[in-house]
Amino acid sequence: MSDQSLTRFSLGHLPLASLLLCAACTSTPVGSAGGDMEVVPDVVLAIHGGAGTILRENMTPEMDQRYRQALTQALEAGYAALEAGGDALDAVEAAIRPMEDSPLFNSGRGAVLNDEGEVELDASIMDGAEGLAGAVAGARTPRHPITLARRVMNESPHVLFAAEGADRFAEAQGIETMEAAWFVTPRRADQLKRMQARDASSTADLARRPVDEKFGTVGCVALDGDGHLAAGTSTGGMARKAFGRVGDSPIIGAGTWAADATCAVSCTGHGEFFIRLAIAHQLHARMLFGDQGLPQAAREAVLEELPALGGSGGCVALGADGTLVAPFTTAGMYRGWVTRNGVVTVRIHGDERR
Ligand code: ASP
């Protein structure tokens, strides 16, 4: 099998080889000392499933296959929403929900555990058309935190609900909630045990841990037929985080941003750095006020400023003209996109783009 996983929706008569060729010639790798970046035109939907040390030698062919399938399913769900006449927000929510249900990703079921062995779920969504936003931080009950974030945006006058307030709002909204045990997978329980055994003392020292233990957030950016952009992000945060710690994912402007005039952005990585650099909003500001194109804005913010401050991670960012960039400073980032004509591309490793 090719290491490039492609599916096609509307032009199913084309042979796979021509699709592979087509994807290869339309995406342009952009080199950078800071890491990897790819520029792809004509994209309507893109997702990430977290950035980190995703090494081929640590990945069995079965796991590789499972991740690619899960990413493809999420892209298909988001694209189907667009095809059905849904707007960019519908597509973002539709793509993120299956990833929240998948134990492979650090969001919803399968989210990482805090130092007390519990999930605390963060999510946000932003509407590029109206500049509306909704978010939840430290929620414990919503099966789909992204749906709850959207309800905050649409059904409350607020932007962010935290902890018990988020759970109460979920109940009041009648959205699906689950018992705490449903979210906890054996893989995450083992991960926490291993981390605690290795270092009995500290939750504060997140930065020195191997990056593959920290990341796995999911996110989506979409562009609909009316030219509107939207972005969303959902996560369990960082493994063995301190009780009550909130990362960048539910912080509008840090982990998520969308504005029709510029771009839609969803980030993943070491959240504290994304907050301090306001990475998602920074891309927008560079474009709006600094007259930069999206590739330059993404390169300077994610591949230069982020590592310069000591942070790591990546993002998917979609311009209003359908240009997608997916920069990351780590060895890999689970990611994929669908172009206007329905071609699905999925990637995992950093060296997979050429
Ligand atoms: N950015 C998330 C956080 O810091 C973690 C991740 O992307 O995996 O909470």
Side-chain angles (χ1 to χ4, degrees):
M1 199 191 98
S2 160
D3 62 355
Q4 188 171 218
S5 164
L6 281 169
T7 323
R8 191 161 222 317
F9 292 115
S10 21
L11 298 179
H13 59 280
L14 284 182
L16 184 63
S18 67
L19 299 177
L20 292 170
L21 263 177
C22 152
C25 61
T26 54
S27 86
T28 319
V30 176
S32 160
D36 178 282
M37 194 169 87
E38 190 162 21
V39 181
V40 192
D42 286 329
V43 170
V44 290
L45 184 96
I47 57 172
H48 67 76
T53 307
I54 307 164
L55 299 176
R56 281 200 170 80
E57 53 268 34
N58 297 339
M59 182 84 107
T60 62
E62 292 71 33
M63 281 304 273
D64 181 284
Q65 196 57 29
R66 282 179 64 198
Y67 273 104
R68 286 178 202 273
Q69 259 165 17
L71 292 166
T72 301
Q73 275 163 12
L75 288 164
E76 287 176 357
Y79 188 72
L82 289 176
E83 287 266 277
D87 63 18
L89 287 164
D90 295 328
V92 165
E93 186 183 357
I96 288 180
R97 283 171 62 105
M99 292 194 282
E100 289 178 331
D101 276 342
S102 167
L104 292 176
F105 301 106
N106 171 18
S107 65
R109 179 153 188 270
V112 297
L113 304 180
N114 68 14
D115 202 34
E116 302 186 6
E118 301 158 331
V119 294
E120 292 178 289
L121 305 167
D122 300 340
S124 65
I125 193 162
M126 187 161 184
D127 172 13
E130 304 281 336
L132 295 171
V136 291
R140 287 159 185 266
T141 60
R143 174 172 177 179
H144 296 112
I146 194 67
T147 297
L148 184 58
R150 193 172 178 189
R151 291 294 181 94
V152 173
M153 177 175 76
N154 290 333
E155 308 298 334
S156 88
H158 308 300
V159 169
L160 173 62
F161 277 105
E164 200 193 327
D167 293 333
R168 278 205 218 164
F169 185 70
E171 212 178 299
Q173 285 292 310
I175 75 159
E176 194 174 2
T177 56
M178 303 306 261
E179 293 294 318
W182 183 82
F183 294 97
V184 181
T185 60
R187 175 185 169 211
R188 295 306 188 187
D190 286 353
Q191 177 189 39
L192 180 65
K193 252 190 240 148
R194 266 199 327 272
M195 291 172 85
Q196 288 174 333
R198 207 166 48 218
D199 176 3
S201 61
S202 99
T203 60
D205 199 16
L206 281 169
R208 281 205 234 134
R209 296 194 198 133
V211 278
D212 50 344
E213 287 187 343
K214 296 189 299 197
F215 302 152
T217 294
V218 305
C220 179
V221 288
L223 173 63
D224 64 29
D226 294 326
H228 297 312
L229 287 165
T233 310
S234 181
T235 188
M238 289 168 80
R240 209 192 161 189
K241 64 187 181 182
F243 177 83
R245 177 262 186 191
V246 175
D248 60 313
S249 308
I251 307 297
I252 298 299
T256 301
W257 184 263
D260 280 2
T262 53
C263 59
V265 187
S266 172
C267 300
T268 175
H270 196 149
E272 280 71 8
F273 293 90
F274 283 77
I275 296 173
R276 290 162 60 199
L277 288 164
I279 291 280
H281 182 268
Q282 195 185 129
L283 265 66
H284 159 83
R286 284 175 175 278
M287 293 175 76
L288 194 63
F289 308 119
D291 219 20
Q292 296 187 347
L294 180 59
Q296 187 186 357
R299 188 164 42 245
E300 291 184 17
V302 179
L303 300 182
E304 293 174 16
E305 288 213 19
L306 178 67
L309 204 66
S312 60
C315 74
V316 287
L318 184 59
D321 64 352
T323 299
L324 173 77
V325 291
F328 49 95
T329 65
T330 47
M333 180 169 79
Y334 298 104
R335 61 205 188 278
W337 55 85
V338 190
T339 45
R340 219 175 288 278
N341 52 7
V343 177
V344 173
T345 302
V346 169
R347 307 243 205 266
I348 296 178
H349 306 287
D351 58 5
E352 218 178 306
R353 71 194 191 281
R354 289 162 206 97

